[in-house]
C-alpha cells in the first residue's frame, strides 16, 4: 500500500474534495477508493451561504469585453474565454458591499480551461485593492475532473466586506484558453 507519508501527501493534494479509503489488498497492492466529501461540491448542491449570481453582477475584463455576458447569462453552454496568459483578469461587481466568503467560477464542459495560477483581490470602491487569495501553481481537486459537466471551481475567501472582486489569471497554457461559463459570489448574511 501507500506508505503513510505518501498517502498523507496524496490526501493533502485531494484536500477536502475527497478521501482515500482502503478497500482491498491484491497481492502486494493495496487498492484505494476515492470517497466524495460529505457535502457535495459537484455544483448540484450550492455551497453554504447566500449567492450573488450573474443576474446581479456586473463584469469587466482585460480581454473580449463584448462576450462577457456569456459568463453571467445563466446558460452553462456559453462561455467567456481569454488567452491563458499572465495578466488576464475578470472583475466582478455588485450593487452594495456584502460580507464575501467565496467565489465560484463554473467551467462546465471545458475542464481543461481552468486557470493555471491565480490571484484574487477585493475592493470596496473599485480603486483600492487588496489580495485575499492566490495560488501558483493551481490544480483543481481531482474529483472535479470526474464530472466535467458540473465543473465548478470554488475559491473560499476569508470573510470580509467587499463590493468588487478581481480574479487575475497569473499562469499560462499554450494549449487551452481560460474559460468561464458562469460566475457566482458567495457571501454570508449580514
Amino acid at each position: 500500500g501507500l506508505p503513510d507519508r505518501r498517502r498523507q501527501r496524496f490526501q493533502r493534494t485531494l484536500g477536502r474534495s475527497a478521501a482515500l479509503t482502503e478497500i482491498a489488498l491484491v497481492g502486494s497492492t493495496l487498492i484505494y477508493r476515492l470517497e466524495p466529501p460529505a457535502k457535495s461540491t459537484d455544483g448540484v448542491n450550492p455551497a453554504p451561504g447566500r449567492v450573488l449570481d450573474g443576474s446581479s453582477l456586473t463584469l469587466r475584463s482585460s480581454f473580449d469585453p463584448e462576450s462577457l455576458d456569456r459568463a453571467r447569462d445563466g446558460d452553462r453552454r456559453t462561455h467567456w474565454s481569454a488567452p491563458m496568459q499572465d495578466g488576464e483578469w475578470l472583475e466582478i461587481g455588485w450593487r452594495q458591499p456584502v460580507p464575501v466568503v467565496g467565489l465560484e467560477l463554473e467551467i462546465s464542459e471545458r475542464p481543461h480551461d481552468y486557470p493555471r495560477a491565480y490571484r484574487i483581490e477585493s475592493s470596496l470602491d473599485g480603486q483600492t485593492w487588496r489580495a485575499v487569495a492566490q495560488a501558483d501553481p493551481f490544480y483543481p481537486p481531482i474529483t472535479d475532473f470526474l464530472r466535467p459537466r458540473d465543473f465548478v471551481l470554488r475559491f473560499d475567501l476569508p470573510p470580509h466586506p467587499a463590493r468588487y472582486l478581481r480574479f487575475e489569471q497569473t499562469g499560462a497554457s499554450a494549449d487551452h484558453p481560460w474559460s468561464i461559463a458562469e460566475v457566482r459570489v458567495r457571501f454570508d448574511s449580514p
Side-chain angles (χ1 to χ4, degrees), residues 15-17 39-41 46-49 100-105 118 120 131-135 138 141 152-160 165 167 184-188:
R16 289 178 280 160
S17 66
K39 290 186 176 180
S40 174
T41 61
V100 172
V101 297
L103 174 65
E104 296 180 3
L105 301 179
Y118 69 85
I120 301 174
V132 292
Q134 64 183 38
F138 169 65
V152 178
L153 300 175
R154 289 186 173 84
F155 303 94
D156 293 329
L157 303 176
H160 68 285
L165 289 176
F167 189 100
R184 290 179 289 275
V185 175
R186 292 193 330 264
F187 66 99
D188 278 336

Side-chain angles (χ1 to χ4, degrees), residues 4-81:
D4 283 341
R5 202 167 353 134
R6 286 182 60 203
R7 183 172 191 263
Q8 290 169 354
R9 186 173 32 165
F10 188 57
Q11 184 66 59
R12 275 194 309 272
T13 301
L14 290 172
R16 289 178 280 160
S17 66
L20 289 174
T21 303
E22 297 176 14
I23 59 170
L25 180 63
V26 178
S28 62
T29 303
L30 189 55
I31 299 175
Y32 290 87
R33 175 178 37 219
L34 284 173
E35 298 285 349
K39 290 186 176 180
S40 174
T41 61
D42 63 5
V44 176
N45 297 322
R50 298 182 59 193
V51 175
L52 292 168
D53 63 12
S55 65
S56 56
L57 300 175
T58 58
L59 303 177
R60 291 180 10 154
S61 69
S62 59
F63 184 82
D64 194 14
E66 295 81 27
S67 69
L68 272 174
D69 279 344
R70 295 178 187 166
R72 58 180 218 99
D73 63 4
D75 185 349
R76 300 169 64 200
R77 296 169 298 175
T78 63
H79 292 77
W80 169 79
S81 294

Side-chain angles (χ1 to χ4, degrees), residues 75-96:
D75 185 349
R76 300 169 64 200
R77 296 169 298 175
T78 63
H79 292 77
W80 169 79
S81 294
M84 182 85 67
Q85 61 190 27
D86 186 8
E88 297 297 343
W89 53 265
L90 176 70
E91 186 178 297
I92 306 134
W94 50 94
R95 190 171 311 210
Q96 61 188 12

